[in-house]
């Protein structure tokens, strides 16, 4: 607590898809073990290091256990603001990692082995909640950022843009966002499906919009003050324990393709307006945050809705896990390298939870 910690970055390399395998794509990404990954192609030969690397053979469970996701859930219960975000080009496995294939087919429920980080975290959260008695109050909100508009994915009716505000006590927050209390795994999974369904339905109308939108599911965990009697001789006992409030936020970021290096500010602002301002702003904030504390300049969280919403978890007091997703195919090489560079830079970001 209060100590400087680094953002934890893990990498997931998905298997070649059937289409990629059928057309004979070369695999250019190889895991070397110990968190190292090697990219080798005609004119590229590079090794990158992460906290963990999951290759094509890694199960959903292995990713949950090996990424530190379980600890993140526990820290959120302890009152920290925890965020996990999946990053990578469209088709690299972000949604699969977070939700499993379940999000793709509405009719058939996925096999339990394929459930993603989100469902596994919910299970873990509810188990903990049960084992602690009923002193945890859980609620969820689900929104997306599309074209710099924040929309509620849970409230009924057509998606409406909600204002993003700032207050001294709350920091940045979304006004009038629906927050739904839940007590069971079925309830939260059904909220997740409902919201993802709304995101997908509008994606059909708005041509590939889902790969251009960021989805944020936030779980608020309030532990009510413990009213147990102090043990004899224990001075002020558990009754003096303040109530805690933690959050666990899952971010399925928009596809990172077409996002240029956050080099010159001129290029940045032009692209920002037309393509994906949020993702560019996030890259920009990350590269500034990656500088040593003494050399940091102002961090422009206000540049986009996404960075405003992630300000606390990225820059200040939150704990963040980033899951970078890549395809092993030679055809994705340049996007893969750009994701690897982005993720490597993110490893230098520090926070004081
Ligand atoms: P994204 O959300 O990054 O656009 P998806 O999660 O939709 O990508 O994944 C693209 C495709 O690849 C989907 O058909 C998905 O089922 C498949 N896929 C992704 N990751 C894996 C994996 N680890 N194992 C098996 N299939 C995967
Ligand atoms: Mg997706």
């Amino acid at each position: 607590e209060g100590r400087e910690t680094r953002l934890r970055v893990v990498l997931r390399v998905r298997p070649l898809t059937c289409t990629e395998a059928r057309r004979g794509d070369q695999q250019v990404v190889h895991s070397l073990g110990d968190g190292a990954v090697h990219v080798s192609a005609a004119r590229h030969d590079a090794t990158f290091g992460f906290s963990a690397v999951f290759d094509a053979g890694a199960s959903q469970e292995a990713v949950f256990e090996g990424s530190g996701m379980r600890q993140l859930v526990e820290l959120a219960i302890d009152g920290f603001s925890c965020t996990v975000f999946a990053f990578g080009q469209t088709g690299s496995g972000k949604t699969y990692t977070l939700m499993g294939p379940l999000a793709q087919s509405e009719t058939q429920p996925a096999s339990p082995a394929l459930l993603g980080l989100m469902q596994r975290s919910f299970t873990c959260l509810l188990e903990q909640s049960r084992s602690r008695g009923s002193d945890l109050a859980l609620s969820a909100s689900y929104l997306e950022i599309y074209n710099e508009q924040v929309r509620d994915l849970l409230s009924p009716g057509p998606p409406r843009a909600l204002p993003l505000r700032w207050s001294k006590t709350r920091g940045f927050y979304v006004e009038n966002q629906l927050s739904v209390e839940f007590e069971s795994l079925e309830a939260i999974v059904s909220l997740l499906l409902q919201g993802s369904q709304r995101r997908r339905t509008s994606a059909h109308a708005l041509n590939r919009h889902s790969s251009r939108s960021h989805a944020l599911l936030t779980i608020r965990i309030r532990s009510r003050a413990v009213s147990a009697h102090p043990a004899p001789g224990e001075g002020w006992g558990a009754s003096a324990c303040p109530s805690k409030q933690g959050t666990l936020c899952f971010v399925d970021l928009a596809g990172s393709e077409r996002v240029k290096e956050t080099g010159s500010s001129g290029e940045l602002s032009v692209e920002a307006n037309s393509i994906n301002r949020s993702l560019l702003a996030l890259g920009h904030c990350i590269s500034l945050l990656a500088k040593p504390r003494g050399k940091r300049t102002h961090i422009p969280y206000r540049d986009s809705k996404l960075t405003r919403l992630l300000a606390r978890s990225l820059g200040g007091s939150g704990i963040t896990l980033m899951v970078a997703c890549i395809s092993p195919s030679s055809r994705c090489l340049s996007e893969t390298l750009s994701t690897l560079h982005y993720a490597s830079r993110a490893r230098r970001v520090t926070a004081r939870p």
Side-chain angles (χ1 to χ4, degrees), residues 221-269:
I221 306 157
R222 258 184 11 256
S223 59
R224 303 187 188 101
V226 184
S227 57
H229 302 290
E234 210 184 277
W236 47 284
S239 56
C241 198
S243 69
K244 289 182 281 196
Q245 179 165 318
T247 53
L248 185 56
C249 182
F250 298 86
V251 188
D252 192 355
L253 287 175
S256 59
E257 63 279 356
R258 295 194 292 173
V259 173
K260 295 285 175 308
E261 282 293 333
T262 55
S264 72
S265 57
E267 177 191 316
L268 207 143
S269 54

Side-chain angles (χ1 to χ4, degrees), residues 10 67 69 72 82-86 97-98 117-118 121 215 217 248-253 310 313 319-323:
V10 303
S67 61
M69 192 64 230
L72 209 64
C82 301
T83 306
V84 51
F85 58 94
T97 298
L98 288 175
L117 290 180
M118 294 175 91
S121 302
L217 180 111
L248 185 56
C249 182
F250 298 86
V251 188
D252 192 355
L253 287 175
L310 294 180
S313 46
I319 303 173
T320 304
L321 167 66
M322 173 163 167
V323 185

Side-chain angles (χ1 to χ4, degrees), residues 169-190:
T169 47
R170 298 176 65 181
F172 292 107
Y173 67 96
V174 178
E175 199 172 67
N176 297 327
Q177 146 177 255
L178 196 66
S179 174
V180 181
E181 301 212 348
F182 65 92
E183 286 180 346
S184 71
L185 185 62
E186 293 70 38
I188 179 64
V189 167
S190 123

Side-chain angles (χ1 to χ4, degrees), residues 284-303:
H284 194 204
C285 287
I286 285 179
S287 44
L288 292 173
L289 283 163
K291 292 186 178 167
R293 249 159 214 280
K295 292 195 181 149
R296 271 188 203 172
T297 46
H298 164 74
I299 312 288
Y301 293 115
R302 285 184 183 268
D303 278 3

Side-chain angles (χ1 to χ4, degrees), residues 12 14-15 17 89-96 104:
R12 188 174 205 190
R14 69 155 166 75
T17 61
Q89 78 179 110
T90 301
S92 60
K94 298 180 296 293
T95 305
Y96 184 95
Q104 264 104 36

Side-chain angles (χ1 to χ4, degrees), residues 139-183:
S139 61
S141 57
Y142 198 8
L143 48 87
E144 72 172 342
I145 303 172
Y146 177 66
N147 265 347
E148 282 305 289
Q149 282 191 348
V150 179
R151 300 163 167 186
D152 201 324
L153 290 172
L154 293 184
S155 70
R160 241 171 353 112
L162 297 178
L164 184 53
R165 306 210 187 279
W166 189 86
S167 87
K168 229 178 196 161
T169 47
R170 298 176 65 181
F172 292 107
Y173 67 96
V174 178
E175 199 172 67
N176 297 327
Q177 146 177 255
L178 196 66
S179 174
V180 181
E181 301 212 348
F182 65 92
E183 286 180 346

